[in-house]
Amino acid sequence: MQEQYPTIFTKRGSYDGRKNLYSPVEYSLDREQFEVNDGRPWPRLIRIKYAATINPSSATRYIEGKMSQDNHVITTLNACNVAIRMQPMQCAPSSHDVLE
């Protein structure tokens, strides 16, 4: 989706494979639904809804022992985990490229 709509997704986000897309910027969305062609016989309809802004300082305070674990800390750590896992996949060549 991010490749099919580069003017909207100007900075790539990290998708957790389920329902969350973590982005380093807030996207300027002119709509909430996107048609995505991912190789299936029919396009998929993807809906995007803004959920929350993540404050990384909550994770820092948690790691320093200045804050107890709460939903903000868990969300921030999940976003970091997804971003770390996505980086190798975004940089590695696809299996299609390797076979050619």
Side-chain angles (χ1 to χ4, degrees):
M1 178 174 71
Q2 295 179 80
E3 293 169 357
Q4 292 177 27
Y5 297 96
T7 57
I8 295 172
F9 300 99
T10 54
K11 294 213 177 213
R12 291 184 67 93
S14 297
Y15 177 58
D16 70 356
R18 289 181 228 119
K19 65 176 186 172
N20 296 307
L21 175 69
Y22 298 102
S23 167
V25 297
E26 187 173 338
Y27 298 124
S28 297
L29 299 175
D30 58 350
R31 60 189 163 189
E32 295 179 355
Q33 295 185 41
F34 297 88
E35 203 170 269
V36 178
N37 296 307
D38 59 357
R40 296 178 191 198
W42 60 89
R44 292 176 24 175
L45 186 63
I46 306 293
R47 291 184 179 89
I48 294 183
K49 182 177 94 172
Y50 172 82
T53 299
I54 295 174
N55 184 356
S57 65
S58 63
T60 302
R61 289 193 308 272
Y62 173 72
I63 291 166
E64 293 172 344
K66 298 177 182 175
M67 181 178 177
S68 61
Q69 183 176 339
D70 66 4
N71 285 338
H72 297 291
V73 172
I74 293 169
T75 301
T76 302
L77 295 176
N78 282 340
C80 291
N81 183 32
V82 170
I84 289 168
R85 285 186 294 129
M86 283 295 297
Q87 183 62 31
M89 289 185 271
Q90 290 176 347
C91 294
S94 68
S95 60
H96 177 68
D97 294 338
V98 173
L99 295 176
E100 289 184 356

